[in-house]
Amino acid sequence: MTGGNHDGVPTTHREKLQHQAEEMDARVVQPLPPYLIVIFGATGDLAKRKLLPGMLRLFQSELMPEFRVLGTSIEEIGNEEFREIVHEACGEFGRHEFSEEDWAEFSRRMVYIPVSAGPEALKAAVDHEVDLLGSEAHLLHYLSVPPSAAADVVHMLADAHLTENARVIMEKPFGTDLKSAQKLNDTLHAVLSEEQIFRIDHFLGKEAAQNILALRFANGLFEPIWNRDHIDHIQIDVPETLGVGSRAAFYEKTGAFRDMVITHLMQILAFVAMEPPTALASLPITEEKNKVFRSLLPLKPEEVVRGQYEGYTDEPGVAPSSSTETFVALKCELDNWRWSGVPFYLRTGKRMGEGARIISIAFREPPQAMFPAHSRIGRYGPDHLTFDLDESSRVSLSFYGKRPGMGMVLEKASMQFSLEETDYRDDTLEAYERLIRDAMAGDHTLFTSARDMERLWEVAAPLLEDPPAVKPYPPGSWGPTKIGGLIAPDSWRLPFARRWREHPKVPVAAPADSV
Ligand code: BG6
């Protein structure tokens, strides 16, 4: 944005017109060719909760190109029953209302074929749908299937000649250790190029995750202090209140480390830690993320706490002697010029005290000698910059200020931002919505590469080979008692000593002369 006063607020008529044109440019999205989306596992949990409501939302927001959806799964159902399932899912899990007209337009593009029909019938159904879309049509295969089935689906796609002009979205886990990840990547690369593969990590699709990049690189304020000279330690903390629910079959083989840490938490760590990319584009960002993973030191089992919530082994589908961890906290370090000596503490678990997804940057404390002992300097811990990865994309900067009145008594205060208080709050795309569109556009920026995954498994090897015993923790707590020792003399930010400010859900227009 050019012109305007120092806050970029256009002042003259010409500047206002230019501002409007720039606003339009910023929102223009790349046009896409027609797409046939083939969903494998189309009646499964993820499809119902996220993929199908997400596609409806993209369609309503006019972000879908011309498209059709071919669902496939083991259910022996026809088109009409499939549409009913989709309708119910969009009603139950969709975040937005939809009209009869929207539904009619959306659902007429949905068809279904059971897996039992076989590869030839699938190929014929795909060809038929592609004919309806025209010769420009591309294919997007969404593999919403258990990891054990992914390789079979990929082989089947190759046998049925369905890999040409196609992109494939894969769900985690991308292997269970280095060897299995390499094997999976070899299988994929035998029939698909890396360019065609989109390994989804929905945490990177969260608006707030991308805001980390904006905040770090679009401001002169933060980047100069974003290093070991000014930052003491960093926490990435994702406690969940949910238990394992009906997912025991998946979770028993996965556990918290593979389900959350090697995937979501590490991807977020890369955004927090990476060097400025040469451009805000897929290749430069992917390169910088990979450098972060290459600097990551191998995990030390003695710096990892594994926990299991009491009652986990009574959950349906869980082995009575299960040692699967439902909680993990660990310390990791990056051996590079920016971060050497700065610990990164990662924690996540099921059935914990609160659900949250925060990144907390603790700044080094200044010398405190000049303040009198009663001033409370340092009493409430260091200054923090805190990101909340929730939809409201909150950011808070906390600092010491003087309590009004006589003497010098300090208190912690904070400056907070929330998307909820802007006019954009209804514009946010849910992570899957954003990522499905990015995959159609061929944009790998927010996806994980084969190289990244293999490096992460390499770093994890010492822990996987020699995991510490799981310690029990009561549901509703913050994990096993040992977690305090892991981070001492610092402490976990959660539960917060001070609450986030609640924001009114009314539009707040910035006055033209705001500071
Ligand atoms: C999934 C994990 O990838 O992420 C789940 O498999 C976890 O176990 C979920 O609950 C958390 O995602 P979100 O977006 O709800 O924080």
Side-chain angles (χ1 to χ4, degrees):
M1 155 102 217
T2 50
N5 65 13
H6 283 161
D7 292 322
V9 178
T11 43
T12 66
H13 180 61
R14 219 175 121 229
E15 280 164 9
K16 278 183 189 149
L17 285 179
Q18 190 183 346
H19 176 77
Q20 276 169 9
E22 285 172 357
E23 280 278 288
M24 296 276 293
D25 272 359
R27 281 157 193 253
V28 165
V29 283
Q30 182 191 339
L32 297 176
Y35 256 98
L36 172 63
I37 305 175
V38 186
I39 309 180
F40 294 84
T43 55
D45 199 52
L46 179 69
K48 286 196 226 166
R49 280 175 188 275
K50 300 286 184 187
L51 309 184
L52 295 159
M55 286 175 197
L56 172 59
R57 179 63 184 159
L58 283 174
F59 171 67
Q60 287 178 301
S61 317
E62 297 177 14
L63 287 168
M64 255 324 194
E66 190 43 48
F67 75 102
R68 297 187 61 80
V69 173
L70 172 62
T72 178
S73 80
I74 48 173
E75 311 267 343
E76 296 291 334
I77 53 173
N79 291 346
E80 277 319 310
E81 284 154 297
F82 179 56
R83 288 177 190 146
E84 272 165 37
I85 292 176
V86 181
H87 189 259
E88 205 173 298
C90 292
E92 188 175 351
F93 302 114
R95 299 177 311 139
H96 300 270
E97 305 273 298
F98 54 91
S99 63
E100 283 295 310
E101 294 78 52
D102 284 348
W103 172 249
E105 276 300 304
F106 183 68
S107 64
R108 75 177 175 80
R109 294 170 160 91
M110 307 252 134
V111 287
Y112 182 86
I113 182 166
V115 169
S116 61
E120 276 158 34
L122 176 71
K123 165 80 171 138
V126 168
D127 288 347
H128 176 72
E129 294 302 311
V130 166
D131 280 348
L132 295 177
L133 286 165
S135 58
E136 295 291 292
H138 284 46
L139 288 178
L140 178 69
H141 300 296
Y142 200 120
L143 273 50
S144 178
V145 294
S148 51
D152 291 346
V153 175
V154 168
H155 283 134
M156 196 268 290
L157 288 176
D159 292 346
H161 303 289
L162 288 174
T163 53
E164 234 171 79
N165 234 356
R167 296 192 167 126
V168 177
I169 302 186
M170 314 247 333
E171 280 288 334
K172 70 172 166 54
F174 309 115
T176 50
D177 57 14
L178 179 59
K179 224 167 127 201
S180 58
Q182 283 168 335
K183 193 166 161 224
L184 176 65
N185 286 331
D186 289 347
T187 306
L188 295 175
H189 291 151
V191 294
L192 296 163
S193 71
E194 181 68 11
E195 285 297 288
Q196 291 178 283
I197 306 168
F198 291 78
R199 295 175 191 77
I200 204 163
D201 191 300
H202 78 278
F203 266 50
L204 289 189
K206 289 180 190 281
E207 196 67 52
Q210 294 152 63
N211 207 21
I212 301 170
L213 299 187
L215 203 114
R216 283 190 58 191
F217 301 130
N219 300 293
L221 179 59
F222 297 109
E223 200 48 29
I225 56 168
W226 209 259
N227 56 51
R228 61 198 296 269
D229 295 333
H230 302 281
I231 292 178
D232 185 75
H233 67 273
I234 293 181
Q235 296 180 27
I236 302 177
D237 204 356
V238 186
E240 299 185 286
T241 50
L242 289 173
V244 69
S246 56
R247 297 171 76 213
F250 163 81
Y251 204 81
E252 271 283 270
K253 285 198 229 114
T254 313
F257 179 77
R258 291 183 171 93
D259 185 32
M260 296 291 287
V261 176
I262 198 124
T263 52
H264 307 321
L265 274 63
M266 285 295 182
Q267 293 296 322
I268 294 296
L269 180 145
F271 267 23
V272 172
M274 74 187 197
E275 294 300 314
T278 50
L280 219 49
S282 175
L283 191 59
I285 291 185
T286 305
E287 273 172 359
E288 294 306 334
K289 274 173 57 195
N290 189 260
K291 274 160 64 183
V292 172
F293 297 139
R294 283 181 352 237
S295 326
L296 202 55
L297 292 174
L299 299 180
K300 298 185 189 133
E302 62 277 19
E303 292 181 339
V304 179
V305 177
R306 293 168 72 234
Q308 188 183 79
Y309 63 81
E310 286 160 10
Y312 173 71
T313 49
D314 301 330
E315 302 272 17
V318 174
S321 61
S322 171
S323 61
T324 299
E325 80 283 354
T326 60
F327 170 99
V328 63
L330 58 86
K331 175 177 166 186
C332 58
E333 280 184 83
L334 295 168
D335 187 16
N336 63 22
W337 279 68
R338 186 186 285 262
W339 295 116
S340 175
V342 178
F344 284 71
Y345 298 106
L346 275 43
R347 173 172 72 169
T348 186
K350 303 278 183 208
R351 298 292 308 268
M352 292 181 61
E354 245 174 62
R357 308 174 191 97
I358 67 138
I359 302 163
S360 172
I361 316 281
F363 292 97
R364 284 198 190 287
E365 295 188 65
Q368 300 177 350
M370 67 185 259
F371 283 89
H374 67 261
S375 68
R376 303 186 184 166
I377 178 81
R379 179 185 294 185
Y380 310 107
D383 303 340
H384 286 112
L385 179 64
T386 310
F387 293 85
D388 184 342
L389 295 182
D390 203 6
E391 257 180 45
S392 54
S393 205
R394 291 179 292 200
V395 183
S396 158
L397 182 63
S398 71
F399 53 89
Y400 285 89
K402 180 185 170 302
R403 190 157 89 189
M406 294 298 293
M408 178 58 81
V409 178
L410 302 174
E411 271 192 352
K412 247 327 182 42
S414 66
M415 294 189 278
Q416 296 190 6
F417 162 82
S418 164
L419 259 189
E420 287 293 332
E421 63 186 0
T422 71
D423 291 342
Y424 300 123
R425 64 176 179 280
D426 291 329
D427 294 354
T428 34
L429 288 178
E430 205 270 334
Y432 278 93
E433 296 165 11
R434 156 89 201 222
L435 294 171
I436 290 170
R437 196 179 194 286
D438 281 357
M440 287 194 277
D443 184 346
H444 275 93
T445 312
L446 301 174
F447 293 85
T448 313
S449 68
R451 252 179 4 145
D452 288 354
M453 280 322 299
E454 291 182 14
R455 171 62 189 159
L456 286 169
W457 287 120
E458 206 169 69
V459 166
L463 170 66
L464 300 179
E465 279 156 22
D466 184 20
V470 286
K471 303 271 176 226
Y473 63 95
S477 71
W478 290 90
T481 40
K482 270 184 83 173
I483 54 157
L486 184 73
I487 195 170
D490 301 309
S491 42
W492 293 99
R493 290 293 306 292
L494 292 173
F496 284 131
R498 290 166 298 281
R499 312 302 305 174
W500 288 97
R501 264 198 296 280
E502 289 303 323
H503 292 283
K505 296 201 174 185
V506 289
V508 181
D513 60 349
S514 62
V515 270

